[in-house]
Amino acid sequence: MAGLASLIILARINSAQGDLGEDLTLPAIAAILIGGTSLFGGSGTVSGTLVGALIVTVFRIGLSLAGVNPYWQNFAIGSLILIAVALDQWIRKVAS
């Protein structure tokens, strides 16, 4: 899928860059974790990941509309990741 995506982007922008999608890794990880997939193993669902991606996208757009610097947006996304991991650990501790 990554190869197919790279071919589509190559055809769209008509140039190739090795680090083109590097800034998309943090939101992708955040979407997966917020969607309910555990960082420490387990299983997740596609629908949960889609909900997580929607939450991250709405959050990022809201920060952009508020005029927040993109560097601080990454800090906020990282904070969301920390909150999701802490919540997952708390749920695991309560469940066992």
Side-chain angles (χ1 to χ4, degrees), residues 60-74:
R60 185 169 282 244
I61 289 172
L63 290 174
S64 293
L65 289 174
V68 176
N69 189 339
Y71 297 111
W72 287 107
Q73 290 178 16
N74 286 335

Side-chain angles (χ1 to χ4, degrees), residues 11-35:
R12 183 173 178 187
I13 64 174
N14 205 19
S15 70
Q17 297 173 350
D19 62 346
L20 188 63
E22 188 174 323
D23 58 340
L24 299 175
T25 55
L26 184 65
I29 293 170
I32 292 167
L33 292 175
I34 292 171

